[in-house]
Amino acid sequence: MRRGTRRGRCAALLTAAVAVSLGAAGCTAGPGAQDDGRASTAPVPERSHSAAPASGPVLAVKVDNVRAARPQTGLEDADVVYAEPVEAGLSRLMAIYATELPESVGPVRSARESDLELLGQFDRPVLAFSGAQSKLLPIIDKAPLRAEPASEDSDAYARAGDRQAPHNLYLRPDELLGKPSGAAALTTGFTYGKAPAGGRAESSHTVRYPSASFAFTWSGSRDRWLVSMDGSPARTADGGRLAPATVVVQHVRLRESDFRDFRGSNSPYVESVGSGEAEVLRDGRVYDATWKRGAAEDGTTFTTGDGKPLNFAEGQVWVVFAGRS
């Protein structure tokens, strides 16, 4: 049976220092702080998508994406990065790890209701997040995943002393997963291989939210798309560039959820189940595609106009959810 009853965890926000060092993240014990008012230049290595069996679940980490949170730590090691709209037209990221676990990831932020639908494609994923609204916590508790919120008794989290809260919470992945689970855990529905015929040459592509933006510029020397966010180059903690091999702009329905932040702004619900249009960026070209996901338990398929699978390039994938009219 694919799903079972998951272990409950205390979902209180981190309100005191967590005594653990994260090394590369530069984290030290420091005063905790509440979250955002909710109740609570080396090339990116290519990853093999061989049929090696999965040894465990994927790790999903909710990552802050406002200017004060950048540069983030550990995004370059993710297999998939999802970009999603949140309150007030801003954006947040969810990084998925299966083939590699970095030393640290962050800054870690809070979960949203639509994250649960998105994560339904994986077999009992581990979700690391800083907290959530009190009314959402029981829903998370019932979801088919292993929730790992930040709490005072968790050795997996620490506050960085050189950043202001709430943009200073970092995760130590090896405290949650002893080792990478393997590519077989990436049940995303994506296919990888030779590029389809057609497409159109495009050197850059931009996606705009009301208060945030993502731009992807093709680098022929690196065979990667260089990421910019909110008009500035998106860098790794050591100064390199975030550079996925494939970028997907997935047009989805956005609706109001039942949740609002402490300012009264509604938290948009990203409907990742259904079908619609998409643009797939790879090898300096853009391909028009159709996406389909029949149920939360399914991965998402991307097909060309003739109905054939649209292969992604080997390497990291970014999926940017964009609202459709």
Side-chain angles (χ1 to χ4, degrees):
M1 183 174 181
R2 183 182 176 194
R3 293 175 171 167
T5 303
R6 72 176 172 81
R7 176 173 57 91
R9 283 296 305 264
C10 173
L13 291 178
L14 191 66
T15 56
V18 180
V20 63
S21 172
L22 292 188
C27 293
T28 59
Q34 287 194 346
D35 198 3
D36 48 3
R38 305 176 75 86
S40 149
T41 61
V44 177
E46 293 189 353
R47 293 167 175 79
S48 171
H49 295 270
S50 64
S55 61
V58 300
L59 171 65
V61 186
K62 290 304 300 289
V63 179
D64 201 352
N65 197 35
V66 296
R67 292 183 185 274
R70 302 174 190 148
Q72 294 98 334
T73 298
L75 286 180
E76 66 274 21
D77 295 316
D79 294 280
V80 183
V81 176
Y82 291 98
E84 57 188 357
V86 292
E87 302 81 11
L90 296 170
S91 66
R92 191 155 291 178
L93 307 176
M94 180 186 286
I96 306 295
Y97 300 88
T99 63
E100 185 174 352
L101 294 179
E103 186 174 352
S104 63
V105 180
V108 180
R109 292 301 296 271
S110 55
R112 298 295 186 273
E113 183 185 12
S114 51
D115 296 336
L116 307 181
E117 180 177 280
L118 180 60
L119 289 174
Q121 65 190 300
F122 303 114
D123 186 6
R124 291 185 53 79
V126 177
L127 173 60
F129 60 108
S130 64
Q133 283 194 11
S134 58
K135 293 181 179 180
L136 180 57
L137 292 174
I139 300 175
I140 295 176
D141 190 63
K142 294 177 182 178
L145 53 78
R146 174 183 146 200
E148 291 286 352
S151 61
E152 293 184 40
D153 62 352
S154 174
D155 291 334
Y157 293 91
R159 295 276 178 186
D162 59 351
R163 292 198 180 194
Q164 294 293 317
H167 316 292
N168 66 347
L169 180 66
Y170 289 82
L171 171 74
R172 187 175 180 176
D174 63 1
E175 291 289 334
L176 301 184
L177 292 179
K179 62 180 180 179
S181 295
L186 289 169
T187 50
T188 56
F190 304 164
T191 61
Y192 299 79
K194 183 179 178 181
R200 57 188 181 276
E202 192 164 319
S203 60
S204 65
H205 196 94
T206 300
V207 181
R208 292 183 173 85
Y209 293 174
S211 302
S213 66
F214 296 87
F216 303 93
T217 302
W218 178 247
S219 170
S221 62
R222 294 189 58 181
D223 291 330
R224 295 290 186 270
W225 296 92
L226 305 182
V227 183
S228 295
M229 296 188 287
D230 301 337
S232 299
R235 300 196 178 277
T236 63
D238 62 4
R241 290 291 297 272
L242 293 176
T246 304
V247 176
V248 178
V249 181
Q250 185 174 342
H251 300 278
V252 299
R253 179 173 177 255
L254 302 177
R255 61 171 173 82
E256 288 192 352
S257 72
D258 294 331
F259 302 94
R260 295 182 179 273
D261 68 8
F262 74 106
R263 299 181 181 88
S265 298
N266 186 265
S267 179
Y269 191 101
V270 177
E271 294 192 354
S272 59
V273 172
S275 61
E277 298 178 347
E279 293 86 50
V280 175
L281 286 62
R282 60 164 295 175
D283 306 327
R285 304 185 71 81
V286 178
Y287 299 86
D288 295 326
T290 297
W291 69 269
K292 184 176 181 180
R293 185 179 179 205
E297 295 82 5
D298 301 333
T300 305
T301 60
F302 293 85
T303 55
T304 60
D306 57 6
K308 295 180 179 179
L310 203 165
N311 291 331
F312 295 175
E314 290 287 344
Q316 187 182 72
V317 177
W318 278 53
V319 179
V320 182
F321 291 118
R324 64 188 181 199
S325 56

